[in-house]
Amino acid sequence: MVKVVKKIAEPIFYTTKITEWPKEERPREKLIARGPQALNEAELLGILIRTGTGKVTAVDLGHTILKEFSSLKNLTSRSVQELRQFKGLGNAKAVTLVAAFELGRRASRKERDGAQIRSPEDVVQLYQAQLRDLKHEVFLVLLLDSANHLLREVKISEGILNSSLVHPREVFKPAITEPSASIILIHNHPSGNPEPSSEDIQITRQMVEAGKIIGIPVHDHIIITAHAHTSFVERGLL
């Protein structure tokens, strides 16, 4: 989290208002004429921010925010409160940015519906972007049909992972209702360490045994971090 005593001031990159720029260089006009891929990240943020403050343009604000958080990836996980620390970003603009980032994440999740999962790498490709920046642990269950197509995902718990939060009845209830042919367990490690803990192993064994009784097998349990993952199947832990 960014710790500041007062609102972060923005350096001025431009000396004129955006409306005084050459028309072909104005972010909105450039997007219309050449498409969004022609704009850099600061310009795209400037369109969402809409207006600057004083001599500082909306694009200036975009540059400053990106510099403060080092990358767009780090920026997209920030809260309204964190964004409001920047001079020129009030509630309305901060909310607009957070809403835009969330829409992007949801669009990505929608693209997963019906995806066929053939390997742990398929799961990582589908879910790493969603889970890698979270500051807390999230436990998900993927419900699969008989051809290993993703029916839907279910969030089981948030917070420190333990057996009291992740119980077989919570995991298998949606799988029975769907109904699902099999499931895959996923959770993230915000620490960046993909190694399974003793609690992870205990929970997995409990779910595997419950799945055998119910008749819905657990295909894998995958731990995801920002840059790595662990598959219980590949480790011989399942």
Side-chain angles (χ1 to χ4, degrees):
M1 173 142 182
V2 181
K3 295 181 180 180
V4 292
V5 176
K6 58 182 179 180
K7 283 209 169 188
I8 301 170
E10 297 83 0
I12 301 173
F13 295 94
Y14 303 100
T15 57
T16 59
K17 296 179 180 179
I18 291 177
T19 54
E20 298 172 359
W21 295 5
K23 189 173 181 180
E24 66 274 10
E25 291 301 320
R26 300 173 197 170
R28 293 177 187 172
E29 285 77 0
K30 186 191 293 188
L31 188 150
I32 293 170
R34 299 163 55 188
Q37 67 279 357
L39 280 67
N40 62 38
E41 293 172 353
E43 290 172 326
L44 291 169
L45 287 172
I47 290 176
L48 293 172
I49 294 169
R50 299 188 65 182
T51 60
T53 176
K55 294 183 179 180
V56 179
T57 70
V59 176
D60 290 335
L61 278 173
H63 275 292
T64 300
I65 296 167
L66 286 167
K67 182 177 179 181
E68 184 68 27
F69 293 119
S70 301
S71 70
L72 183 62
K73 180 177 74 68
N74 290 334
L75 170 60
T76 57
S77 63
R78 301 299 169 173
S79 66
V80 170
Q81 290 72 28
E82 288 175 289
L83 293 177
R84 286 187 67 249
Q85 294 176 97
F86 293 88
K87 185 178 180 181
L89 283 187
N91 276 333
K93 293 177 181 178
V95 165
T96 296
L97 291 176
V98 171
F101 299 149
E102 179 61 21
L103 281 172
R105 282 189 288 268
R106 293 190 185 188
S108 176
R109 289 199 289 270
K110 288 296 183 183
E111 291 177 359
R112 295 194 290 255
D113 294 346
Q116 188 171 33
I117 296 176
R118 302 180 181 87
S119 67
E121 286 70 25
D122 288 340
V123 175
V124 175
Q125 185 176 5
L126 291 171
Y127 284 91
Q128 192 167 45
Q130 175 183 341
L131 300 177
R132 65 187 176 191
D133 298 325
L134 297 181
K135 305 299 188 292
H136 56 278
E137 289 194 19
V138 173
F139 190 96
L140 304 175
V141 174
L142 305 188
L143 309 182
L144 307 178
D145 64 16
S146 58
N148 289 338
H149 289 109
L150 178 61
L151 298 171
R152 65 184 177 100
E153 68 183 63
V154 180
K155 183 187 294 183
I156 301 300
S157 73
E158 293 189 54
I160 298 174
L161 194 64
N162 60 62
S163 55
S164 64
L165 291 175
V166 182
H167 192 277
R169 66 171 171 268
E170 306 301 329
V171 171
F172 286 97
K173 181 178 179 180
I176 294 170
T177 303
E178 193 64 34
S180 308
S182 61
I183 63 173
I184 293 176
L185 313 176
I186 309 177
H187 81 280
N188 63 311
H189 277 183
S191 66
N193 181 3
E195 291 299 312
S197 67
S198 58
E199 189 79 14
D200 295 338
I201 295 171
Q202 177 187 345
I203 289 171
T204 304
R205 289 173 177 169
Q206 186 180 24
M207 298 305 157
V208 169
E209 291 305 312
K212 289 178 180 177
I213 295 171
I214 296 171
I216 301 177
V218 178
H219 276 347
D220 203 348
H221 184 175
I222 299 173
I223 298 172
I224 294 177
T225 70
H227 304 292
H229 72 276
T230 292
S231 161
F232 277 54
V233 166
E234 291 179 341
R235 287 286 190 90
L237 296 172
L238 199 63

